[in-house]
Amino acid sequence: MKREFPKSFQPHDCEGKWYDEWQKNKIYATDGNKGSEHYSILMPPPNVTGILHFGHVLNQTLQDIYIRRNRMLGKDVCWFPGMDHAGIATQSKVEAALKEEGLTRYDLGREKFVERVWEWKEKYGGIILKQLAKLGISCDWDKTLFTMDESASNAIQEVFIQLFDEGLIYKGKRIINWSPLSQTALSDEEVEFREVSEELYTLRYYFENSDEYLMVSTVRTETIFGDVAVAVNPNDERFKDKIGMNVIVPIVGRVVPIIADEHADPEFGTGCVKITPAHDPNDFLVGQRHNLEIINTINHDATMNSNAGEYAGLDRFEARKAVTAKLRELDMLEKAEAYVHNVGFSQRGGEPVEPYLSSQWFVSMQPLAADAIRVVKEGQVRFHPAHWVKTYEHWMTGIRDWCISRQLWWGHRIPVYYTEDGTQFTAARNSTEACKKMNLPEGTKLNQDPDVLDTWFSSWLWPLTTMHWKHDGITESTPDLEAFHPTDLLVTAPDIIFFWVARMIMASVKFHHEIPFKDVYFTSTIRDGQGRKLSKSLGNSPDPLNIIEKYGTDATRFTMIYLAPLGQDIKMEVDVIKQDVPSVEIGRNFANKVWNSGRFLLMKLDEAMGENDIDINKIIDLTDAELTASDKWIRSKFNTTIDALNKSLDDFKVTEYARILYDFIWSDFCAWYVEIVKVQFAQNESADYRLSLMKFAIDIYEGILLMLHPVMPFITEEIWHILCVKNQEESISLERSPESNPAYRDSAIETNFELLQLIVEEVRRLRASMQIQPSKKLPVTIASADEKIIAFLNEQVNSLAYFMKSDKIEITSSTEKPEGALASVIREISIFLDADGAIDIPAEKARLEKEIGRLEGNISGCERKLSNEKFVQNASAEIVQNEREKLESMRNSLAQVKENLSNLK
RNA sequence: GGGCGUGUAGCUCAGUUGGUCUAGAGCACCUGCCUUACAAGCAGGGGGUCAGGGGUUCGACUCCCUUCUCGCCCACCA
């Protein structure tokens, strides 16, 4: 029965089919008892609100490559998928939906609102995971964890209580980053600074009962309502005598002291700075040092409060305009100048954050950092590329406390209980336990803290919660933890090194006394043709699903890997309107090449079988004596390539892996070996030989499929089932490792074959230079003084003839040039192409003269080197020897070329 | 201000501990081909003082110093 092998590869026909088959047979599932060696990866959980982007394609493909490879190596492999509840993002989405109905979350109340969010999650939350599955990733979906799942919640609660009891979580009244849009506190990491052009206003602060004034500069005129002092530097001679005097805040009329504080920089502005402790982190510290009153003038939504008098209710920016106008009117404004400075923006909401004084929960990070720095320094956790270690250490060394409370409803509620008067509180699993901890009578009414935890407070426990650590609040160890923690590899974008990577290291070391992962691979940032980051807001990001639809999953995966050098950005031309990424053609064309070479092998196999239906596995292998040098050459190359591929993956040089595969398959296998198979097949009509030859070629090709499978899982699976498996029931998947056999490595044959390639290429060049018709067959003479080379070339004479389009080849030790032939010299081997009178004498003369010039240049360079005593003394013997041989060979070649020139008449 | 990275053909990038590197590949370009799988293909070609300067060395794209370019991260100035 002949097998079907369509003319071109149709990705869509096989992708869904194989993915279903893999998942149905649960070949990616494990209970941790499948083998002695384990390998695991944690999937960075996408946001429940997320949609697929190119970052995912790259990131997931990288993980899948390592997962598949290690499974193929026979390890017990587990890839843990999951999804993040994404506090602010998700809550905003649901609030936006409510707004459509004319409602706010307060109309629903907390409980109803959270129910709504769960409903939303059930309805839309799975989209991103289904999209990820489209990438062909081989994870065990049954192990999917949602960060709001009960088992995760329990662990998170335990961690909070433990840190609270140890005094590492504390409540503090501080200036935090407030998001007026989301109306919640943010951590420092959630704020990004951007350069903004604003105006710097210089105001007059008059002394009491005087016409004299101090000049004070500020951008934020609206904050003068919170002014409680003016600070000057204690060493600033200009103001030394003013310290202790009072000035009057414009408009407000408040009398405030002039204080001395290092915070005031004499070099900046007027040297005087107004102190507003409620609205600036530095001013807050100054206020603490000088025991100043704190006057808050801004509401949660960034409108002015009653302390702003007639400006109350105005938005902060409108208030700034109004106050500035008023100052101008009162002649209190000395000047206004253009000013560029950095302003913090909410990463999520995009609005300027407000430095805001409020009570929040903090984690004391310094005590957690020490061990986490150590495990990286010691190389227990390795970063790729390694230069991230410096960034990591720098941040960890100066680490600041982490604000973890969020004024949201969607998230893990803070497990802290307060007495009704608010004077006593503790962290506990429930109010009963809280009563006990506070020595209160059981049943005392307590209130739980209304706030929830920062989403990243669940993310930092991801290595533990995915494996159900303390899923019930108690259990320290689980089968997954036993088998798969620490995980082997984390693949993630470098922009979350602080948000996530560093914190996971701290958490696993602190709570489980183990590192969370051994290697961290930081992925490339994907940019468009102009070098801009692909992003939704820029509108320069095509939907990967459209690209997959157009080119296929394998092609998309391969292209991303092929283009993504470790530690450097990828630049990729994108066309959002056409929804196209043209460079994915690389992968598409490559897939086509792979497909067609497989198709060719099957055609030839079928031809060899004739009417018979033979099990490929029952075909007799060619003996070593029956193999030609070319067969041995491809076998040797194949084994060299496997080793190179393994090394590239071990070194996390994934792009190199893709390039080695590409070059080996395209050049070595397709361009050379497949052509040779055609010749060998044609020249030997024995059916047995032909079958055995095809089996040999298909065996090599099967190895190629195995090597390619981690990056192109679908096409390889499809071809393997068509070409390599007789009985479809035997195996669901090709997954197993190609083995390299050092015995098949043969450097002598590789060198000889390289020579054959050079000769072929030279003849092609000669033909092209004389514009000889491609179909025209011409006699070729190859002359060498080396008998071994003659023997090798003689064995390959049919292949040579085919490659060189020659109808007559003479391989000889005599260097006599045939009449009227084009002549060339490659490594002392003379090549004569009988151009049958089509020879252009002046052109040929010019070509030979150019060659002579080149050789003479090289020879004199070589001679100069060798006559340099220091070179001969210092360079290694091998280098010097090489140089001598090179010189000798070039001299011989030069002589031959000169002879060819003199014969040219 | 501090740290990290980058600069090689028109474009995107390779280039292993300095020595066949007078520097490679893909795309684009030019010439010619429907040659027994593949025109999503095949054969050939042009194109680069390896950002600039200095140094170490017998020898530098590769190591050191320095200037410049572009990019990223951290800190932050009222």
Side-chain angles (χ1 to χ4, degrees):
Chain A
M1 185 192 76
K2 304 283 186 218
R3 282 150 290 184
E4 289 292 316
F5 211 130
K7 182 137 191 176
S8 71
F9 176 53
Q10 300 299 326
H12 310 298
D13 293 350
C14 80
E15 289 175 3
K17 175 183 78 182
W18 287 118
Y19 203 72
D20 291 347
E21 193 73 9
W22 296 331
Q23 291 292 337
K24 195 179 79 196
N25 288 284
K26 295 202 177 294
I27 59 175
Y28 308 136
T30 175
D31 53 7
N33 292 314
K34 271 177 143 179
S36 54
E37 214 178 331
H38 294 95
Y39 188 89
S40 60
I41 296 180
L42 303 168
M43 181 183 295
N47 282 356
V48 60
T49 56
I51 52 156
L52 194 72
H53 55 70
F54 270 96
H56 291 123
V57 179
L58 174 62
N59 181 290
Q60 299 290 327
T61 302
L62 285 164
Q63 294 175 72
D64 199 38
I65 287 172
Y66 280 92
I67 285 288
R68 286 184 188 272
R69 170 177 188 246
N70 280 284
R71 202 184 300 113
M72 290 168 83
L73 288 169
K75 293 184 194 171
D76 185 1
V77 171
C78 193
W79 185 5
F80 294 87
M83 194 157 63
D84 196 294
H85 68 279
I88 297 176
T90 312
Q91 175 157 333
S92 314
K93 267 230 149 99
V94 176
E95 284 191 288
L98 281 178
K99 204 174 171 190
E100 302 271 294
E101 303 168 29
L103 295 170
T104 69
R105 65 171 147 136
Y106 302 102
D107 295 329
L108 263 68
R110 184 166 192 142
E111 211 170 304
K112 280 256 156 34
F113 178 77
V114 172
E115 263 174 43
R116 273 293 283 262
V117 183
W118 275 107
E119 279 168 29
W120 183 91
K121 184 255 173 186
E122 293 311 322
K123 210 163 164 189
Y124 305 105
I127 291 176
I128 181 69
L129 296 183
K130 289 198 188 79
Q131 291 179 321
L132 290 179
K134 278 272 185 197
L135 302 174
I137 60 175
S138 62
C139 59
D140 178 4
W141 290 109
D142 290 342
K143 281 204 147 63
T144 306
L145 181 86
F146 183 48
T147 51
M148 286 289 282
D149 283 349
E150 202 188 337
S151 69
S153 295
N154 289 338
I156 287 156
Q157 191 175 69
E158 287 309 306
V159 161
F160 187 99
I161 294 168
Q162 184 188 332
L163 290 175
F164 179 89
D165 289 344
E166 290 179 19
L168 293 178
I169 281 185
Y170 64 92
K171 192 168 195 176
K173 195 165 188 186
R174 298 224 195 137
I175 299 268
I176 46 84
N177 305 295
W178 181 263
S179 161
L181 209 64
S182 313
Q183 304 220 1
T184 176
L186 302 173
S187 67
D188 295 341
E189 287 68 37
E190 288 166 291
V191 177
E192 58 181 34
F193 285 88
R194 289 208 286 268
E195 240 178 33
V196 176
S197 299
E198 293 189 297
E199 286 202 302
L200 182 67
Y201 303 103
T202 301
L203 317 182
R204 295 175 182 166
Y205 282 53
Y206 282 89
F207 290 98
E208 264 184 308
N209 310 316
S210 167
D211 289 340
E212 286 181 44
Y213 55 84
L214 272 187
M215 290 191 290
V216 174
S217 296
T218 183
V219 170
R220 307 197 59 191
T221 52
E222 76 279 15
T223 62
I224 58 170
F225 302 104
D227 284 4
V228 292
V230 170
V232 296
N233 193 285
N235 301 317
D236 194 334
E237 294 299 333
R238 293 173 295 176
F239 306 114
K240 253 195 171 143
D241 57 330
K242 305 288 193 300
I243 296 164
M245 295 172 74
N246 288 331
V247 288
I248 300 162
V249 181
I251 300 181
V252 188
R254 186 182 301 130
V255 177
V256 300
I258 298 169
I259 58 173
D261 195 283
E262 296 285 349
H263 167 59
D265 176 1
E267 304 293 314
F268 187 91
T270 62
C272 305
V273 55
K274 72 190 198 68
I275 301 299
T276 319
H279 295 293
D280 182 282
N282 285 311
D283 290 8
F284 179 73
L285 296 174
V286 175
Q288 284 194 320
R289 286 199 283 271
H290 297 269
N291 222 350
L292 300 172
E293 195 189 347
I294 296 167
I295 302 170
N296 180 22
T297 67
I298 294 181
N299 293 313
H300 279 178
D301 59 356
T303 57
M304 307 306 294
N305 71 16
S306 57
N307 285 328
E310 60 177 295
Y311 303 95
L314 281 183
D315 174 79
R316 53 186 164 159
F317 297 114
E318 289 170 37
R320 181 180 306 174
K321 277 186 216 153
V323 170
T324 307
K326 184 75 179 177
L327 287 164
R328 192 169 273 135
E329 187 190 318
L330 296 173
D331 199 25
M332 295 284 199
L333 185 64
E334 180 80 16
K335 59 179 172 181
E337 50 204 323
Y339 183 56
V340 176
H341 68 146
N342 282 333
V343 174
F345 287 78
S346 159
Q347 205 177 48
R348 173 93 18 213
E351 83 284 17
V353 296
E354 187 59 39
Y356 201 73
L357 183 69
S358 82
S359 272
Q360 302 288 345
W361 289 97
F362 294 89
V363 181
S364 182
M365 299 302 274
Q366 287 283 5
L368 303 180
D371 281 336
I373 294 172
R374 185 178 50 78
V375 295
V376 172
K377 235 181 188 150
E378 285 175 357
Q380 294 183 48
V381 179
R382 296 172 293 261
F383 289 176
H384 309 277
H387 68 78
W388 287 107
V389 170
K390 280 198 178 174
T391 309
Y392 171 84
E393 279 177 5
H394 180 255
W395 186 76
M396 289 291 263
T397 313
I399 197 165
R400 299 195 294 186
D401 288 356
W402 174 15
C403 176
I404 52 169
S405 42
R406 296 289 178 273
Q407 287 65 52
L408 304 172
W409 287 351
W410 175 241
H412 300 281
R413 185 111 175 234
I414 290 179
V416 167
Y417 295 85
Y418 300 83
T419 54
E420 285 217 284
D421 61 3
T423 52
Q424 266 185 288
F425 59 86
T426 192
R429 288 161 190 85
N430 49 54
S431 63
T432 312
E433 192 184 84
C435 285
K436 215 177 269 172
K437 272 177 99 168
M438 292 189 284
N439 290 318
L440 296 168
E442 202 180 319
T444 307
K445 187 164 186 311
L446 300 177
N447 299 317
Q448 188 176 357
D449 196 296
D451 290 350
V452 301
L453 289 163
D454 180 4
T455 302
W456 295 98
F457 195 87
S458 49
S459 312
W460 79 330
L461 300 175
W462 191 239
L464 302 174
T465 50
T466 46
M467 303 192 199
H468 299 99
W469 176 79
K470 295 214 174 177
H471 55 93
D472 51 4
I474 301 158
T475 307
E476 290 272 356
S477 192
T478 66
D480 278 347
L481 279 162
E482 289 286 324
F484 297 114
H485 195 282
T487 61
D488 291 86
L489 177 64
L490 178 75
V491 179
T492 190
D495 54 353
I496 53 176
I497 183 168
F498 306 137
F499 270 114
W500 198 42
V501 180
R503 287 175 182 159
M504 278 194 285
I505 297 174
M506 288 188 267
S508 282
V509 170
K510 168 77 179 166
F511 304 115
H512 196 57
H513 314 295
E514 268 185 353
I515 54 168
F517 29 71
K518 296 167 194 159
D519 289 291
V520 183
Y521 184 113
F522 289 107
T523 56
S524 313
T525 304
I526 301 165
R527 298 175 180 281
D528 66 10
Q530 297 159 56
R532 301 174 307 174
K533 226 168 164 168
L534 293 192
S535 79
K536 209 161 55 172
S537 53
L538 272 176
N540 62 347
S541 182
D543 183 348
L545 295 175
N546 289 328
I547 306 306
I548 284 173
E549 180 65 28
K550 181 164 180 185
Y551 296 101
T553 302
D554 288 329
T556 309
R557 287 170 57 124
F558 183 85
T559 304
M560 295 302 291
I561 297 303
Y562 189 82
L563 292 178
L566 175 61
Q568 254 169 276
D569 296 351
I570 308 180
K571 251 197 213 175
M572 225 169 53
E573 211 62 56
V574 298
D575 186 332
V576 180
I577 295 162
K578 286 194 200 145
Q579 284 288 301
D580 196 11
V581 178
S583 47
V584 179
E585 280 183 14
I586 298 169
R588 196 263 320 255
N589 294 355
F590 182 54
N592 186 249
K593 193 74 184 172
V594 171
W595 181 261
N596 273 292
S597 49
R599 183 160 162 266
F600 169 80
L601 295 175
L602 184 67
M603 283 170 67
K604 283 291 175 190
L605 178 67
D606 284 345
E607 192 183 328
M609 284 185 188
E611 294 304 306
N612 306 314
D613 184 20
I614 299 160
D615 182 346
I616 184 163
N617 296 308
K618 301 225 168 90
I619 296 171
I620 296 161
D621 286 320
L622 291 171
T623 64
D624 237 43
E626 289 169 308
L627 292 172
T628 65
S630 297
D631 299 329
K632 288 177 184 165
W633 167 77
I634 194 67
R635 191 173 65 181
S636 178
K637 270 274 176 187
F638 171 68
N639 282 281
T640 315
T641 303
I642 291 176
D643 292 342
L645 287 169
N646 284 332
K647 186 172 182 329
S648 66
L649 288 178
D650 288 342
D651 294 345
F652 297 99
K653 292 181 176 169
V654 183
T655 297
E656 198 171 295
Y657 162 79
R659 282 171 199 269
I660 293 169
L661 276 168
Y662 187 92
D663 292 343
F664 176 72
I665 292 172
W666 204 299
S667 303
D668 294 327
F669 191 75
C670 292
W672 291 97
Y673 188 65
V674 166
E675 296 304 311
I676 285 169
V677 166
K678 288 178 188 171
V679 174
Q680 293 185 174
F681 191 97
Q683 87 188 58
N684 189 333
E685 286 179 15
S686 144
D688 285 344
Y689 173 78
R690 286 180 167 184
L691 283 169
S692 296
L693 173 68
M694 292 323 295
K695 174 154 196 277
F696 177 83
I698 289 169
D699 280 348
I700 299 280
Y701 184 76
E702 183 180 11
I704 289 173
L705 293 178
L706 297 180
M707 295 191 296
L708 193 56
H709 183 69
V711 62
M712 301 180 103
F714 292 115
I715 190 173
T716 48
E717 190 77 281
E718 178 77 2
I719 299 175
W720 189 75
H721 281 269
I722 296 171
L723 188 59
C724 306
V725 189
K726 189 71 184 170
N727 180 358
Q728 295 293 324
E729 304 305 312
E730 272 173 16
S731 185
I732 300 143
S733 172
L734 86 173
E735 287 209 335
R736 70 187 161 74
S737 176
E739 278 168 40
S740 120
N741 183 345
Y744 291 148
R745 301 272 291 268
D746 189 331
S747 63
I749 281 191
E750 289 195 24
T751 308
N752 277 342
F753 199 87
E754 198 184 311
L755 192 61
L756 178 145
Q757 291 173 314
L758 290 174
I759 293 168
V760 168
E761 281 159 1
E762 187 59 19
V763 171
R764 284 171 175 169
R765 224 168 290 139
L766 287 175
R767 293 179 62 112
S769 74
M770 291 300 145
Q771 291 175 330
I772 292 161
Q773 280 217 319
S775 53
K776 179 128 180 124
K777 305 223 165 175
L778 297 173
V780 174
T781 304
I782 303 169
S784 170
D786 187 327
E787 280 176 28
K788 280 187 190 151
I789 289 174
I790 292 181
F792 168 76
L793 293 175
N794 261 320
E795 195 218 12
Q796 300 300 313
V797 70
N798 290 309
S799 298
L800 278 168
Y802 178 77
F803 282 125
M804 302 189 306
K805 303 206 179 294
S806 172
D807 49 358
K808 181 168 169 279
I809 293 191
E810 194 183 341
I811 297 164
T812 167
S813 58
S814 116
T815 54
E816 227 171 288
K817 185 190 167 218
E819 197 65 19
L822 290 163
S824 196
V825 179
I826 291 286
R827 294 195 187 165
E828 301 181 64
I829 295 170
S830 282
I831 301 161
F832 303 108
L833 175 67
D834 186 343
D836 194 21
I839 180 165
D840 176 344
I841 305 270
E844 177 64 357
K845 205 175 157 193
R847 191 180 66 80
L848 291 174
E849 274 165 356
K850 195 178 159 196
E851 176 67 4
I852 288 168
R854 192 186 69 87
L855 281 168
E856 280 175 345
N858 286 356
I859 286 168
S860 71
C862 214
E863 283 169 343
R864 221 177 305 126
K865 240 184 197 179
L866 284 164
S867 61
N868 181 339
E869 272 177 44
K870 285 186 174 172
F871 171 72
V872 181
Q873 264 168 31
N874 295 326
S876 75
E878 198 189 330
I879 300 281
V880 176
Q881 184 58 25
N882 268 344
E883 210 64 26
R884 290 213 168 102
E885 282 168 15
K886 201 167 92 187
L887 180 63
E888 175 69 14
S889 162
M890 285 191 300
R891 278 177 174 158
N892 290 337
S893 295
L894 180 64
Q896 289 173 54
V897 177
K898 278 185 168 163
E899 197 185 325
N900 290 337
L901 180 62
S902 67
N903 287 339
L904 184 74
K905 257 137 216 164

